[in-house]
Structures are given as structure tokens and as C-alpha cells.
Amino acid sequence: MTVSVNVSRFEDVSMAPPDPILGVSEAFRADTNNMKLNLGVGAYRTEELQPYVLNVVKKAENLMLERGENKEYLPIEGLAAFNKVTAELLLGADNPAIHQGRVATVQGLSGTGSLRLAAALIERYFPGSEVLISSPTWGNHKNIFNDSRVPWSEYRYYDPKTVGLDFNGMISDIKEAPEGSFILLHGCAHNPTGIDPTPEQWEKIADVIQEKNHIPFFDVAYQGFASGSLDADASSVRLFVTRGMEVLVAQSYSKNLGLYSERVGAMNVVCSSSDVAARVKSQLKRIARPMYSNPPIHGARIVANVVGDPTLFNEWKEEMELMAGRIKTVRQKLFDSLSSKDTSGKDWSFILKQIGMFSFTGLNRAQSDNMTNKWHVYMTKDGRISLAGLSLAKCEYLADAIIDSYHNVS
């Protein structure tokens, strides 16, 4: 008689580390302290710190119910009405690239899925090409390129001495990159720093990328949500397209329409001709088919209804301005609280120079740990806080936590 030993075939599979961003929310939920703050995940909250569903989203969903729309499979490239309006929103409806058929647009699974599509395209058709990403950058960028087997390196971006942009370092590193590299740029509201180049700096960045024959690759996750203006937040992308450059752009509607769980976004490739665009689109579809087959329809219909209807579109812009305005007000209040409470003379004005939902506090890992362990403020370990998860009522408490962590933790 033999005794079977129950040994798993997956015995050698190790435990994965917690996600550095989503893991923050898990720890927050386990905390029972009444003063706790979740400033880790970039999701908009009301002044009462509650999730917010935009009114235009509710109206768009009501339209869908009234029309009795079905749940049939979408084509691989997604909803045609969505693809049309998302390219127009990004580039401007009157952009020659659109009218000349030079834009290959494929609906993706929000920003992450769209980036993943592009990474697979790079791996397949530009083997060995390197992607340059900013230091620091959104935590998932490296994962996406690693899993796609696309080599990457970093260009300087954040200057800890000034808590600002290391523009000279950025330009130098882009110049030194191998010719034909992909340069990953944040279209607006850089994550995690909240530090964006000025219009004049964007011009110089475009100059260097053109001179080196690099390919600009934009991640646009906050269009309209950073400044409150859709056009202003797309100006960096439009600058490169106007110059006649071929450009990759990943879009997301998680933040600006609050469609976090709908996973709706797009991958756009602006090409030199309509023929090239058609071929690029065909290959993006070929990549998508075995990856997820076709994208979800619900979020795409919401975007198509909102952007495609002039009344709803104007209402959306008003709501975006209100959301962006609330974050700006909280940013100002936090700066005022820090400046009034901190008697050391430290200059906290960098907080006002940053834009979007995040602020890069300049706190190191040990100081960030103190924020969580002592003050119950949950944030990423690089010192980033999400102002979208902060209320005016909690600004002074947060200021106390930051001042204590900055001055009393080495």
C-alpha cells in the first residue's frame, strides 16, 4: 500500500510582494483609527472623502438604459464612436492628422492596458529598442515594460534639492539615449511628482527628441483633470503632432470621468501616412486579440455619449473644473497650514508649483513610514500624497504629520 504525499506542483511559486500603491489601501482598510487618511491611491473624493460619480456619467448611463442598448461583443478595436471622440478630444477635432487618416486608435483597458498594447508593439516591431522613463515615474510603468520584455532606462526628472524639475538632467539624458529610443512622457500632471515642464521647456524637449530621431510616447491619464482645461492639458501632445512627429499616446478616462472600474482608455499612434496608420492599427488589433479579445462596452459608451453630445460635454467640462478646483483649493490650504505651523523657515512653496491630484512632499521612506505608523496617513513610500483624497478639514492634521515627519525623522 502506497501513501500519497500531497505536494503541490506549485510548491516553488513564491509569494508576490504587495502592490506598492494598491497595497496602501489594503493597509488603510485594516486601520481602525478615526483620524486615518488614505492618500495613496489616485482616486477623487468629495470634501466628505466619499467616492464621486459624475452627474454626466449618470445621465449618460440613463441614456443607455432608455435606448435599450445590447451587450454584444465589440470589434477588437473597440467602439467606433468612442475611438472617434477620444482621438478628437486628444488632438483637437480639426487636427489635420485626424482628417488625413493618420491616427491609429484602438480602445484599450484604460491607461494600463493601452500602455501594455504599445509595449507589445514595441517589443514585436522595434526589438532591442529602449524606452526611457522619468525618474521617478508611476509605479506600474516598469512592470509593464518588464513583462513585455522591453528594455528601459531612466532619465533624470526630479531634483530633490529644489523639489522641482531637473530640466538640464532630463535634456542631457534624452540626448545621450541611443538614437531612435522611445521617450515616455507624462502629458500633464506628472505622476508622482506633480511637476510639469513649462511650455518653453516642452519646446526644447521636442527639439531634442526630433534631433535624436527618438519616438515620443505619451501617457495621458489626467487630461482636463490637471488644470481644468481639456485643451491646456493636451497641449504637450499637440505640440509634438503639430511638428509632424510620429507619436504614441495612451489615454485613460479613470480620473477625468471617474470611470475607475470601467477600464476605458485608448492607444493612439499618430503616423506619417494613412497607409502606415492602417497597418499599425491592424497589428494593435492582432496583439489585442489573444490578450483580451475585445474591450468592454459600458465605459466606452459613457465616454461616447458624454463627449459626443454638446450639452453633456459642456456639463462634463464644468464638473471637471469643479473637481480640479477642489484639489487646487486643498493644495493651497495645505501650503497655508504648513507655512503657518512650521517655524523653521522651510520653504513649502513647491507644493503650489505642482499640479494635478498628487504632491511630491520630499519625504523619504523613513519619514513616510512615520506618517503611517504614528499619524495613520497612508501614502506611497516615495513621499507622494494624493490631494484628491484630502479634505480641507484634514489639512491642518496632515500639516502636523508632515512637519513632524520632516523635522523629527532622519
Side-chain angles (χ1 to χ4, degrees), residues 362-375:
L363 298 179
N364 61 33
R365 187 181 184 91
Q367 293 164 337
S368 298
D369 284 339
N370 185 69
M371 294 280 288
T372 301
N373 298 335
K374 179 178 178 179
W375 293 90

Side-chain angles (χ1 to χ4, degrees), residues 80-90 251 253 300 303-305 307-308:
F82 166 82
N83 288 345
K84 178 179 184 296
V85 298
T86 197
E88 291 176 350
L89 191 74
L90 176 68
Q251 287 173 283
Y253 288 91
V303 175
N305 285 341
V307 182

